[in-house]
Amino acid sequence: MKRSVLQYPYYQYPDIRVLYVEDERFSREKLLRVLNRRFANIHVAIDGVEGLQLYQKYKPDLIIADIKMDQMSGLEMIKNIHAHNEKVQIIVTTAHDDNDFFVQSIESNVNYFILKPIDLDLLLQAIQKSVYQIQLEKELEKQKNLIRIILDFQDNLIFIIENGEIVEWNQALTNVTGISIHKNNPTGYQSEFLASFFVEDPHYFYPKDKGRWLEEFTSSGKNMAKVRWKGPHGNDYNYVMKAGPIPGTNQTLFVLTDIEKESREKDHLAMLDPLTSSYTRQKFKEILASEMRRSEQFNRAFSLILMDIDFFHTLNDQIGHTAGDKVLITVSTIVQQRIRECDILARWGGEEFILLIPETVGKNAVVLADSIRSIIEEYDFLKIGKVTCSFGVAEFASGKTKSELLAEAEHALTSSKNNGRNCVTLYT
C-alpha cells in the first residue's frame, strides 16, 4: 500500500525508515496522520504478508505493527523479519492484554507494546526511544566501518580475539591466512584456526600444543614474541607478534609486524638525510661506486652535478637557522621534482647537494643543471629574498677513479663560484 504524498516541510525524524502494518482501516488512517508529521519515509501494509514483502524490499529501521491480522499475524511477520535483522526496532499495537500475548512478545524480541485504544503519549515515547536506539546503532556502524577502513590500510596483520573466537581482522590477515573477510563461516573462526600457520623454529615462539597456542602465549606473562608463520605460497614470514587487552571489553588485540619489512624501512630511513629527504653522503658513495662498475662493464656514460647554495652562511646569519633549513628543504624539493626517477640526489655537505645522472653525457647534464639553476633563481622564497646556486658538472670516463671524478666536479663548482656564482661549469 502506498503512503500519502509528502505534505510537511519539516520532519522530526527525516532519516528513519518506517514500516507501518495495520489491517483495520480507521485505526491505520488515524495513526498514519500522526506518523506523517514525524517521518519522511513511511511504507504502509495492510497485513503481515504485505508487511514482510515491504520489509524485504525497503529494509526499514522501525516497524510499527498490529499484532492480530488476517493471513499472517504480526508476531509471525516479526519472527520472519528477525531472521534477517535481529536489531530492527519493533513496536506492536494490540487489543490483547493477556499473559500469553506478553510472553509471545518477549519471545519475539518486541521492543515496545502499546495497548489499544492507543495512548498517543505512550506511543510517541516508544517511538522516541526506538529512534534513539536506531541512531545509536547507525553511529556505531559508521564507527565500525571507519575502523574497518583504517585496519585495511595497515600492512601489519591485525586481529581481535574474544572468548576464543576471532571477532575482527583486517585484509592483511586475510591475504596470509585466507580467512574470509565476509565472515560467511556459520560457526565463526576460533583462535585454533590460526594454529596451523605457526612454523616450528627454536628461535621463535612455537606452541607445544597448537590447539592451545593462545593460552600458551598469554600464560608466558609477555605481550610480545617473535613468530614464524606459513605464507599463502609456501614461503615463511617472520613477525613480531604483540598482544594487549582492549579496555572495557573481554577482547584482546593482536598485531603482527613483518620483521624484514620493518628492518628494510629502518634501513631506508637511515639512507636519507632527515632534513631534506635526499640520500646521505655515505649512501651516495655506495650508489656511485655501483654506477661506475656498471658504466665500465657496459661502456655507458653518466655525469655528476655538484651544486652549492650561494652565500648560504651569510643568508643563515641574516634569516636564522630555522629559515635556513627551509631553504635547504625547498631547494631539495625543487631538484627532486625536476630530475628523473632514475637520477640520484644526495646532500653532500651543509649547503651542497650532488646528483648522479645515469646515461647522460656532460653537455646534457649541463642543460639539466642550468634548468635547475633557473628554477631556483626564479622561485619566490617568501620573506627570504632571492636564492641562487652554483653548479659544477663532471662526466665519467672509463679508467677514472671515484676520487678523480668527485675532484673534477669540485673543480668545476669552484670555477662557477669564481665566475660570479649562479652559473654552471662543465669540467674539461
Side-chain angles (χ1 to χ4, degrees):
M1 176 179 177
K2 294 182 180 180
R3 59 156 291 170
S4 55
V5 179
L6 303 183
Q7 301 172 14
Y8 305 98
Y10 171 77
Y11 297 97
Q12 189 174 359
Y13 311 115
D15 300 326
I16 304 298
R17 302 183 302 273
V18 177
L19 171 62
Y20 177 40
V21 188
E22 171 63 67
D23 62 346
E24 204 280 314
R25 180 179 177 183
F26 176 76
S27 298
R28 183 173 63 245
E29 291 179 350
K30 182 180 178 181
L31 186 55
L32 190 57
R33 286 194 292 270
V34 175
L35 298 176
N36 273 334
R37 287 184 171 88
R38 289 163 175 81
F39 297 97
N41 194 342
I42 304 175
H43 302 283
V44 184
I46 60 174
D47 57 46
V49 172
E50 186 182 17
L52 184 58
Q53 292 173 344
L54 289 176
Y55 174 81
Q56 292 170 340
K57 183 176 181 179
Y58 297 106
K59 300 296 188 292
D61 308 298
L62 172 63
I63 297 171
I64 303 173
D66 183 44
I67 205 71
K68 186 178 181 181
M69 293 176 286
D70 295 333
Q71 295 191 52
M72 180 187 291
S73 72
L75 286 177
E76 188 178 354
M77 179 193 71
I78 290 167
K79 288 178 181 178
N80 279 285
I81 289 173
H82 268 150
H84 297 279
N85 182 3
E86 295 179 352
K87 294 183 178 180
V88 65
Q89 290 287 305
I90 297 177
I91 300 173
V92 298
T93 62
T94 181
H96 297 272
D97 59 356
D98 57 37
N99 289 334
D100 286 342
F101 159 71
F102 293 117
V103 171
Q104 291 180 58
S105 297
I106 293 171
E107 291 176 348
S108 300
N109 294 320
V110 169
N111 299 101
Y112 303 96
F113 48 85
I114 308 294
L115 294 176
K116 291 183 177 180
I118 294 174
D119 184 321
L120 188 57
D121 287 337
L122 289 177
L123 176 63
L124 294 179
Q125 287 178 24
I127 288 174
Q128 186 177 26
K129 292 177 181 178
S130 294
V131 168
Y132 174 78
Q133 187 63 35
I134 292 167
Q135 291 172 335
L136 182 63
E137 290 288 344
K138 286 187 175 183
E139 186 61 33
L140 290 173
E141 187 64 25
K142 284 182 181 178
Q143 293 181 13
K144 186 176 180 180
N145 289 336
L146 177 60
I147 292 172
R148 159 61 48 199
I149 293 171
I150 293 172
L151 287 177
D152 285 340
F153 266 106
Q154 300 293 316
D155 292 330
N156 297 332
L157 277 59
I158 301 174
F159 57 94
I160 297 172
I161 291 180
E162 181 177 15
N163 299 325
E165 183 179 356
I166 308 169
V167 296
E168 193 66 74
W169 61 89
N170 69 343
Q171 183 65 46
L173 185 73
T174 295
N175 295 341
V176 172
T177 66
I179 186 171
S180 172
I181 201 69
H182 301 294
K183 304 181 186 178
N184 292 327
N185 187 345
T187 61
Y189 289 101
Q190 301 300 312
S191 61
E192 288 82 356
F193 171 81
L194 300 176
S196 62
F197 293 94
F198 286 95
V199 176
E200 187 172 4
D201 189 305
H203 302 292
Y204 293 80
F205 168 79
Y206 184 77
K208 296 177 182 177
D209 180 353
K210 293 179 96 174
R212 293 174 53 82
W213 75 264
L214 182 60
E215 290 85 343
E216 288 188 32
F217 179 79
T218 54
S219 65
S220 67
K222 299 178 181 179
N223 64 350
M224 181 176 68
K226 291 196 300 181
V227 298
R228 175 166 285 180
W229 272 21
K230 289 190 299 186
H233 306 295
N235 50 329
D236 293 346
Y237 290 96
N238 300 326
Y239 297 104
V240 172
M241 183 167 70
K242 298 179 182 178
I246 299 177
T249 71
N250 294 323
Q251 299 177 340
T252 303
L253 173 68
F254 288 81
V255 179
L256 277 69
T257 305
D258 188 328
I259 296 174
E260 281 78 10
K261 181 175 181 295
E262 190 175 61
S263 178
R264 288 193 301 270
E265 289 174 350
K266 288 181 179 178
D267 290 343
H268 179 69
L269 290 175
M271 299 175 190
L272 300 179
D273 173 59
L275 179 64
T276 63
S277 296
S278 57
Y279 282 110
T280 62
R281 183 185 181 113
Q282 183 59 40
K283 184 61 183 177
F284 183 86
K285 287 183 176 180
E286 295 175 11
I287 297 172
L288 175 58
S290 175
E291 183 63 19
M292 290 176 67
R293 289 192 297 270
R294 189 186 74 88
S295 296
E296 289 275 13
Q297 182 179 357
F298 298 104
N299 193 27
R300 309 299 295 177
F302 78 87
S303 297
L304 294 185
I305 301 174
L306 186 61
M307 58 182 288
D308 180 272
I309 301 175
D310 295 331
F311 303 111
F312 183 76
H313 292 294
T314 302
L315 191 67
N316 229 2
D317 292 338
Q318 292 175 345
I319 64 177
H321 291 286
T322 301
D325 287 348
K326 290 182 179 178
V327 172
L328 290 168
I329 294 169
T330 303
V331 168
S332 175
T333 302
I334 289 172
V335 175
Q336 291 185 64
Q337 290 179 345
R338 174 62 184 84
I339 62 178
R340 303 169 300 178
E341 189 173 346
C342 64
D343 299 334
I344 303 297
L345 172 68
R347 188 176 179 189
W348 193 242
E351 69 274 16
E352 284 188 334
F353 293 90
I354 192 167
L355 293 106
L356 189 156
I357 315 298
E359 305 290 331
T360 304
V361 296
K363 63 179 182 179
N364 291 337
V366 168
V367 174
L368 172 62
D370 196 59
S371 170
I372 295 171
R373 181 203 61 77
S374 177
I375 295 171
I376 294 172
E377 182 184 22
E378 295 173 4
Y379 186 83
D380 182 16
F381 289 79
L382 293 175
K383 300 180 182 180
I384 292 175
K386 186 176 181 179
V387 174
T388 62
C389 292
S390 299
F391 296 79
V393 179
E395 179 182 335
F396 176 76
S398 180
K400 282 185 184 179
T401 66
K402 183 165 58 175
S403 297
E404 289 172 341
L405 182 62
L406 290 169
E408 290 176 0
E410 186 70 47
H411 188 278
L413 175 61
T414 301
S415 296
S416 290
K417 291 181 179 180
N418 293 337
N419 290 329
R421 293 182 167 83
N422 190 28
C423 61
V424 180
T425 301
L426 171 64
Y427 180 86
T428 58

